[in-house]
Amino acid sequence: MDSVSALLDSIADVGRDATRGGYSRGVYTSAELTLRTWFEEEARRRGLAFETDRNGILWGWWDAGSGGRTGSLVTGSHVDSVPGGGAYDGPLGVASAFAAVDILRERGIRPNRALAVAVFPEEEGSRFGVPCLGSRLLTGAIDADAARNLTDADGLTFAEASRAAGIDPAHLGRDDDTLRTIGDFVELHVEQGRGLIDLDSAVAVGSTILGHGRWRLSVSGQGNHAGTTLMADRADPMIAAAQIVLAIRNAARAEDGARATVGRLQPVPGGTNVIASRVDLWLDVRHADDAVTAALVERIHGQAQKAAAFEGCSVSLTMESQSGTVSFDPALQRTLRNSLKGAPLLPTGAGHDAGVLAGVLPTAMLFIRNPTGVSHSPEEFVERDDADAGATALADVLEDLL
Ligand code: GLV
Ligand code: MN
Ligand code: MN
């Protein structure tokens, strides 16, 4: 039997990013493929039947004696990361799922319905732009053609990257056969804020996921020479982009409960002595009320148009993904809280595959304390004792649900 920490230690060298710090494990990059192989080996080592479905979701099945896989209990998470991310966002849920299987076996549990550990591809959307791409494909929340045509920073399509990873892109899309196998889904995840520090608890049961979406703003101007173009003669989209970033911060501050972020900005062509011809910036907006998010994005668009026009530039806005606020299944929440006597309820501002699956089947989440309160950063952390407490909590929950 492996502890969660031992499992995480075994992948601690995979995808380290010497430039950014932390881990860069983009979906279907060599780092993420190594982790997918690790998952297969850990599944097989436990005698779980390993499978890859047509959307690239990995499965390790602990089949019950009879009754097939319809309505099974599924747990798991993802192994891809944001650029320069931490070691726990995703892998903690997968390692804890294996540890929970070990604990259940030690307890002599014989499941009377099948139990599976799953890994969803491109949860972060850090390579192809759309988060939770695997679960969106599985549930039909994204059109298969739209997914196939997504491109990464090098212009490679998701279809091409899938094919290179051994997944036939022709078969991507809503998968009712696989959906029927999932009766309930429970995802364990590192907490990505300070909620559990403040509650002085190692484990919480998830209550809600904040609505969130991504938009791309493309600001176009006149590419030109940094030395020969007089300041008065410029249509520099970088200046407009700078004004837009500030306008976004101010607009979000003026809206109670809103969060808006520009974490990625790309000048084209991107040279020190080149006035950019275009600047793309990606906007992440979150609010509990989807109508407020829509109004806030519209306001930001209007301010971006003004800022662009003032600099002799133009701007276009494209929505790349959107996910409404999710409340996890109340009955499942109650079951989890009964299993984990006294575990607090906790909302999250982060997105998860459990949130996408919540649209079509009962899902729940467990959050594990992060003593730094920091995530999407190398500083994300989980103490060994808390990781063990999390695996035990997951085993308790799975045992009761089985
Ligand atoms: C994923 O962690 C997200 O919330 O964007
Ligand atoms: Mn995650
Ligand atoms: Mn994340």
Side-chain angles (χ1 to χ4, degrees):
M1 176 173 152
D2 295 313
S3 68
V4 177
S5 303
L7 283 160
L8 291 177
D9 286 349
S10 71
I11 54 171
D13 291 334
V14 181
R16 276 192 191 275
D17 190 325
T19 309
R20 299 182 178 99
Y23 294 94
S24 292
R25 297 163 164 170
V27 70
Y28 301 152
T29 60
S30 68
E32 203 249 8
L33 290 171
T34 300
L35 294 179
R36 290 165 70 83
T37 302
W38 165 81
F39 175 85
E40 176 175 356
E41 288 167 0
E42 289 298 332
R44 291 193 193 283
R45 206 153 71 80
R46 289 170 173 77
L48 306 177
F50 173 78
E51 286 177 11
T52 307
D53 73 18
R54 55 191 178 82
N55 289 308
I57 301 164
L58 306 181
W59 298 85
W61 285 97
W62 180 1
D63 287 304
S66 60
R69 292 177 177 172
T70 303
S72 304
L73 178 56
V74 180
T75 184
S77 193
H78 60 99
V79 293
D80 65 305
S81 79
V82 294
Y88 301 88
D89 179 354
L92 181 72
V94 179
S96 301
F98 283 135
V101 166
D102 294 345
I103 293 168
L104 292 176
R105 291 218 169 118
E106 269 207 350
R107 290 178 186 170
I109 303 299
R110 291 180 164 274
N112 50 19
R113 61 170 165 155
L115 170 67
V117 181
V119 166
F120 292 86
E122 185 66 328
E123 191 272 349
E124 298 289 4
S126 49
R127 183 167 177 197
F128 290 96
V130 176
C132 301
L133 190 53
S135 53
R136 282 183 209 267
L137 280 163
L138 168 65
T139 57
I142 186 169
D143 174 70
D145 268 333
R148 278 188 277 266
N149 290 325
L150 293 169
T151 51
D152 70 4
D154 297 323
L156 201 75
T157 64
F158 185 64
E160 290 166 329
S162 297
R163 187 178 290 109
I167 295 138
D168 184 348
H171 297 142
L172 295 173
R174 184 175 166 106
D175 182 351
D176 287 307
D177 291 339
T178 298
L179 277 174
R180 267 190 291 279
T181 66
I182 316 175
D184 309 282
F185 179 66
V186 181
E187 180 170 1
L188 178 148
H189 205 279
V190 60
E191 208 233 325
Q192 296 177 275
R194 304 186 52 83
L196 282 165
I197 302 172
D198 297 342
L199 290 164
D200 194 22
S201 173
V203 181
V205 174
S207 56
T208 56
I209 294 181
L210 192 64
H212 53 105
R214 296 180 182 189
W215 291 260
R216 183 174 56 199
L217 285 151
S218 283
V219 192
S220 296
Q222 177 61 62
N224 213 331
H225 194 288
T228 60
T229 316
L230 299 181
M231 297 310 286
D233 291 344
R234 299 182 179 208
D236 183 347
M238 184 59 86
I239 306 304
Q243 305 285 357
I244 291 168
V245 171
L246 292 174
I248 288 168
R249 192 271 306 265
N250 294 339
R253 277 191 173 172
E255 190 65 65
D256 203 27
R259 296 160 201 189
T261 306
V262 177
R264 183 176 162 213
L265 182 148
Q266 192 173 304
V268 178
T272 305
N273 55 351
V274 181
I275 298 167
S277 58
R278 196 179 86 224
V279 175
D280 292 331
L281 46 122
W282 282 264
L283 167 67
D284 177 309
V285 179
R286 308 190 188 212
H287 192 277
D289 183 340
D290 303 334
V292 172
T293 299
L296 181 56
V297 171
E298 210 28 63
R299 228 165 19 253
I300 288 169
H301 189 198
Q303 288 171 5
Q305 284 171 316
K306 272 196 209 134
F310 192 77
E311 297 299 328
C313 298
S314 61
V315 64
S316 66
L317 175 89
T318 317
M319 190 184 80
E320 296 198 334
S321 70
Q322 196 159 19
S323 308
T325 289
V326 169
S327 294
F328 289 115
D329 185 78
L332 206 48
Q333 270 182 52
R334 271 196 300 279
T335 307
L336 264 63
R337 294 189 79 198
N338 280 340
S339 301
L340 308 175
K341 294 160 190 55
L345 267 181
L346 195 68
T348 179
H352 300 284
D353 292 301
V356 174
L357 294 177
V360 294
L361 53 93
T363 69
M365 287 193 77
L366 290 178
F367 294 118
I368 310 305
R369 176 164 51 197
N370 172 359
T372 67
V374 172
S375 186
H376 284 184
S377 153
E379 286 152 61
E380 179 184 273
F381 191 59
V382 174
E383 298 284 0
R384 282 171 188 252
D385 286 353
D386 284 356
D388 291 340
T392 302
L394 181 61
D396 292 346
V397 161
L398 297 177
E399 183 176 344
D400 287 349
L401 288 170
L402 282 169

